[in-house]
């Protein structure tokens, strides 16, 4: 199979595995047998700051100390050097991949394949990949150098690469740090065991060099960005530093998960977790933080997941929780599939309501079928999670404060009879908060809010009332203004997409006709990344002037 050298590699995450008989990475139609070998057995890689500290009980950012750089970063033709970025420097964006699945889940094929046939194909593929690993391990440094390839080793990784030594030589240390975080998150690897677990990576600027050295053969189907098999991965070099590291960590996460006893975990989980751990940031002292939420489009240039989601929501509406949980390989041919998988895992990982259970799920992956375990662990939360996902997806932005933005629910929202009034307290430092009321379409309500609160800690704090202050706007409305949304209560199995939520501007007092039926949530308007310096509350009063039971 002839391969051309990877020259200017696109940073646009295109995902390449189609389970219906088309191998999209090469743009050619292939036989069903080739698809079974290349598509079913192999996961395809393709794609593609710390979240602000919260007083709300949110998980700590994963932080690992990385050994100091072996040499000073150097500017190269393919973008800035990698570790770590200095203040004001630019370090660019991510990429992604699908993991291998052993055995493949039942819906991975369009034609039935008997277990015995799968075992034969898997065994043959294992043998071919083992041959590549043996060739690599058996080559001397001098033999590798003839192909302009170097070998780099750390405690948990062996890397073969033809890119600059000043960049490649420091990447294995990232995987060592990642390994520690993954052990803490999932527990130790099972097969191979911790004593022997190592990741092997092939980072290629010129794929032809690796072909010539026997380290890239026809047994590795063509790919755009990266491809993982068991505890090894191949990836094309990326032009920008952040994108290179993100893809590198994404693939290494897949390698680790391949050593866990996962039973039929869905694609959203595999890809969302790999994206979650791939999204990283450095401190000046050389420590790296995993599971980060980008807060700077320049520093995280190329990540693109948030913009992808916002564009998709504007064009197509919000995917329901059921739709996100059904993300499959067809969805992962588009950037949106990876973006939503990452966002869903981010919500579950960092929202204080769901994080403990999501982390419990990670520890229990070998104890049963994934879907059954998920439904059991989140059984009491699925209805609220469906609403939370919708509000989260609608609001997600750079620097989103996941802890403080966690939705405040009331356990049993009620209908308010005509003539009755309900009061509640709304905090300035939180996101959407339930009023505890289910409003009815065309129902008429009088809304009043009183109180003063602080929106920013500066030399002269910004103090506002529920009318808001017009010195700054967010979402087209004054900061501090009381706003609301009506979230329909619907069966998650009915719709795959729902319309973007309409924001209602209430201010200090208004007579309001509900446009539809659902639960009314309100908040005091502010940038989602700026909630931490808010303080104070307002008293909200809602009177039903006419409503239906």
């Amino acid at each position: 199979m002839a391969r051309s050298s990877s020259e200017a590699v696109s940073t646009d995450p295109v995902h390449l595995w189609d389970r219906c008989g088309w191998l999209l990475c090469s743009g050619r139609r292939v036989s069903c047998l080739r698809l079974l070998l290349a598509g079913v057995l192999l996961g395809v890689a393709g794609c593609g700051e710390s979240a602000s500290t919260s007083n709300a009980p949110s998980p700590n950012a994963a932080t690992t100390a990385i050994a100091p750089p072996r040499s000073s970063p150097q500017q190269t033709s393919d973008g800035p050097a990698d570790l770590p970025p200095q203040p004001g420097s630019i370090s660019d964006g991510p990429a992604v991949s699908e993991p291998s699945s052993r055995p493949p889940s039942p819906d991975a094929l369009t034609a039935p394949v008997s277990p015995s046939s799968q075992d034969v194909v898997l065994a043959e593929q294992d043998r071919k990949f083992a041959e590549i690993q043996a060739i690599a391990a058996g080559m001397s440094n001098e033999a590798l150098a003839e192909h302009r390839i170097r070998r780099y080793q750390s405690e948990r990784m062996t890397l073969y690469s033809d890119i600059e030594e000043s960049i490649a030589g420091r990447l294995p240390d990232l995987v060592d740090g990642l390994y520690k975080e993954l052990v803490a998150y999932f527990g130790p690897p099972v097969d191979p065991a911790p004593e022997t677990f190592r990741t092997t990576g092939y980072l290629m600027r010129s794929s032809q060099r690796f072909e010539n050295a026997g380290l890239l053969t026809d047994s590795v189907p063509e790919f755009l960005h990266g491809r993982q098999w068991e505890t090894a991965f191949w990836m094309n070099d990326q032009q920008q530093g952040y994108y290179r590291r993100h893809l590198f960590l994404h693939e290494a996460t897949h390698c680790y998960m391949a050593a866990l006893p996962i039973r039929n975990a869905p694609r959203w989980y595999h890809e969302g977790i790999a994206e979650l751990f791939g999204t990283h940031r450095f401190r000046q002292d050389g420590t790296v933080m995993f599971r980060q939420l980008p807060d700077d489009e320049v520093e995280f240039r190329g990540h693109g997941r948030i913009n992808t989601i916002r564009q998709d929501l504007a064009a197509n509406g919000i995917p329901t929780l059921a739709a996100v949980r059904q993300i499959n390989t067809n969805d992962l041919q588009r950037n949106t599939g990876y973006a939503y998988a990452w966002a869903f895992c981010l919500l579950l990982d960092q929202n204080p309501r769901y994080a403990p259970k999501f982390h419990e799920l990670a520890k229990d992956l070998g104890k049963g079928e994934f879907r059954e375990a998920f439904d059991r662990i989140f059984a009491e939360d699925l209805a609220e999670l469906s609403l939370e996902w919708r509000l989260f997806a609608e609001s997600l932005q750079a620097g989103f404060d996941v802890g403080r933005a966690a939705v405040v629910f009331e356990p049993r929202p009620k209908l308010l009879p005509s003539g009755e009034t309900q009061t509640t307290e709304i905090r300035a430092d939180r996101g959407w908060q339930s009023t505890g009321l289910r409003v009815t379409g065309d129902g008429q309500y009088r809304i009043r809010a009183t109180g003063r609160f602080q929106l920013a800690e500066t030399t002269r704090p910004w103090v506002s009332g529920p009318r808001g202050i017009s010195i700054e706007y967010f979402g087209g409305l004054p900061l501090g203004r009381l706003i609301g949304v009506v979230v329909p209560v619907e069966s998650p199995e009915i719709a795959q997409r729902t319309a973007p939520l309409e924001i209602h501007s209430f201010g200090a007092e208004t007579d309001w006709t509900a446009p539809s039926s659902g639960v009314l949530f309100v908040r005091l308007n502010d940038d989602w990344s700026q909630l931490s310096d808010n303080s104070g509350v307002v008293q909200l009063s809602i009177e039903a002037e006419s409503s239906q039971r």
Side-chain angles (χ1 to χ4, degrees):
M1 175 170 61
R3 299 169 185 267
S4 60
S5 300
S6 40
E7 298 166 352
V9 180
S10 169
T11 57
D12 213 17
V14 179
H15 304 294
L16 315 170
W17 177 21
D18 182 281
R19 63 181 181 177
C20 298
W22 290 82
L23 194 60
L24 299 181
C25 56
S26 62
R28 291 176 279 121
R29 193 169 186 176
V30 294
S31 67
C32 291
L33 178 59
R34 173 87 183 267
L35 177 63
L36 294 178
L37 288 171
V40 174
L41 303 177
L42 286 172
V44 180
C47 351
E49 173 77 3
S50 66
S52 48
T53 305
S54 171
N55 293 331
S58 181
N60 293 329
T63 306
T64 296
I66 297 298
R70 293 195 247 274
S71 58
S72 300
Q74 300 175 1
Q75 192 74 13
T76 69
S77 59
D78 74 333
D82 282 359
L83 302 176
Q86 298 301 312
S89 67
I90 294 177
S91 179
D92 301 290
V96 179
S97 114
E98 288 183 20
S100 62
S101 178
R102 299 195 58 178
S105 58
D107 66 348
L109 307 176
T110 55
V113 178
S114 68
S116 59
S117 299
Q118 292 178 17
D119 290 342
V120 170
V121 175
L122 286 168
E124 176 62 15
Q125 198 67 43
D126 276 340
R127 183 188 66 77
K128 291 180 178 180
F129 277 89
E131 287 178 356
I132 298 177
Q133 301 290 72
I135 291 171
M139 294 183 73
S140 66
N141 291 338
E142 292 76 13
L144 289 168
E146 291 179 3
H147 301 281
R148 299 175 64 185
I149 297 171
R150 295 185 182 90
R151 176 167 36 218
Y152 307 90
Q153 300 196 68
S154 64
E155 181 182 1
R156 294 293 175 180
M157 182 174 206
T158 300
L159 171 64
Y160 299 88
S161 183
D162 61 346
I163 72 171
E164 288 84 350
E165 184 176 5
S166 62
I167 297 175
R170 292 170 288 170
L171 293 174
D173 291 334
L174 277 180
V175 173
D176 287 357
L178 175 66
Y179 175 86
K180 295 175 184 177
E181 295 296 337
L182 291 170
V183 169
Y185 198 88
F186 291 102
V190 174
D191 183 18
E195 297 77 20
T196 58
F197 180 89
R198 289 183 66 79
T199 297
T200 302
Y202 302 89
L203 172 56
M204 307 175 294
R205 177 162 297 156
S206 167
S207 59
Q208 188 64 55
R209 294 170 186 163
F210 287 78
E211 282 190 23
N212 294 341
L215 306 183
L216 184 64
T217 69
D218 287 346
S219 60
V220 183
E222 292 183 67
F223 56 89
L224 181 62
H225 290 287
R227 184 181 293 274
Q228 170 261 341
W229 176 258
E230 299 296 334
T231 57
F233 67 86
W234 289 255
M235 63 170 276
N236 288 320
D237 190 30
Q238 306 298 313
Q239 293 182 350
Q240 301 159 331
Y242 180 86
Y243 199 92
R244 177 191 296 116
R245 294 193 308 269
H246 182 103
L247 177 57
F248 201 83
L249 293 169
H250 180 110
E251 298 294 350
T253 300
H254 281 320
C255 290
Y256 187 89
M257 294 180 73
L260 298 175
I262 301 176
R263 297 181 61 183
N264 290 331
R267 301 240 71 84
W268 69 259
Y269 187 77
H270 275 291
E271 296 305 333
I273 287 291
E275 276 289 272
L276 192 66
F277 279 91
T279 308
H280 66 283
R281 173 174 224 167
F282 290 97
R283 292 195 177 104
Q284 285 188 327
D285 63 1
T287 58
V288 61
M289 297 177 287
F290 303 102
R291 296 159 44 214
Q292 299 300 296
L293 175 64
D295 65 352
D296 186 320
E297 292 185 1
V298 174
E299 183 173 354
F300 289 85
R301 181 182 298 162
H303 185 268
R305 304 296 180 257
I306 295 173
N307 286 339
T308 295
I309 288 173
R310 296 186 74 84
Q311 292 168 8
D312 183 67
L313 293 183
N316 303 306
I318 305 169
T320 61
L321 177 66
V324 173
R325 292 184 64 191
Q326 293 166 10
I327 287 174
N328 56 37
T329 53
N330 288 332
D331 298 314
L332 293 169
Q333 294 165 13
R334 300 179 298 275
N335 298 353
T336 51
Y338 282 88
Y340 285 122
W342 165 73
F344 188 41
C345 283
L346 177 71
L347 171 64
L348 294 173
D349 179 71
Q350 298 187 12
N351 182 296
R353 177 188 299 272
Y354 312 114
K357 295 182 179 182
F358 193 58
H359 299 159
E360 176 189 347
L361 178 67
K363 298 285 189 181
D364 292 345
L365 288 177
K367 296 182 180 179
E369 293 291 321
F370 182 96
R371 184 182 180 90
E372 294 175 0
F374 186 95
D375 288 342
R376 170 176 50 80
I377 291 173
F378 287 97
E380 298 178 356
D381 302 296
L382 288 176
E384 290 183 349
L385 180 57
S386 179
L387 292 178
E388 178 114 38
W389 161 253
R390 184 169 186 182
L391 291 168
F392 172 80
E394 175 80 3
S395 307
L396 184 60
Q397 65 169 72
F400 188 87
D401 190 335
V402 181
R404 287 187 176 83
V407 175
V408 178
F409 288 100
E410 291 291 335
R412 296 180 185 84
K414 64 181 182 180
L415 291 171
L416 191 64
S418 298
E420 291 194 11
T421 300
Q422 177 164 311
T423 61
T424 188
E425 194 172 79
I426 305 302
R427 291 175 54 176
D429 64 344
R430 298 301 300 267
W432 293 114
Q433 300 160 63
S434 175
T435 61
L437 296 180
R438 292 178 60 185
V439 298
T440 58
D442 294 328
Q444 296 178 353
Y445 302 86
R446 173 161 292 179
I447 297 175
R448 298 185 182 92
T450 59
R452 305 284 285 175
F453 51 92
Q454 179 176 300
L455 286 175
E457 285 186 10
T458 63
T459 54
R460 187 175 181 181
W462 293 4
V463 177
S464 176
R467 294 182 186 275
I469 52 178
S470 58
I471 57 175
E472 190 169 328
Y473 285 69
F474 179 74
L477 294 169
L479 292 187
R481 188 167 184 82
L482 180 69
I483 59 176
V485 292
V486 178
V487 181
V489 180
E490 59 194 10
S491 169
E493 304 301 325
I494 296 176
Q496 292 294 299
R497 293 271 182 168
T498 56
L501 297 168
E502 180 183 359
I503 303 294
H504 301 278
S505 176
F506 296 143
E509 183 173 355
T510 188
D511 290 322
W512 175 66
T513 300
S516 59
S517 298
V519 179
L520 176 62
F521 289 82
V522 298
R523 77 182 190 103
L524 297 168
N525 188 40
D526 199 3
D527 188 301
W528 290 101
S529 66
Q530 303 294 321
L531 299 179
S532 62
D533 59 358
N534 294 358
S535 62
V537 299
V538 299
Q539 299 297 323
L540 175 65
S541 170
I542 302 176
E543 178 186 355
E545 296 181 323
S546 69
S547 64
Q548 301 173 5
R549 289 187 176 274

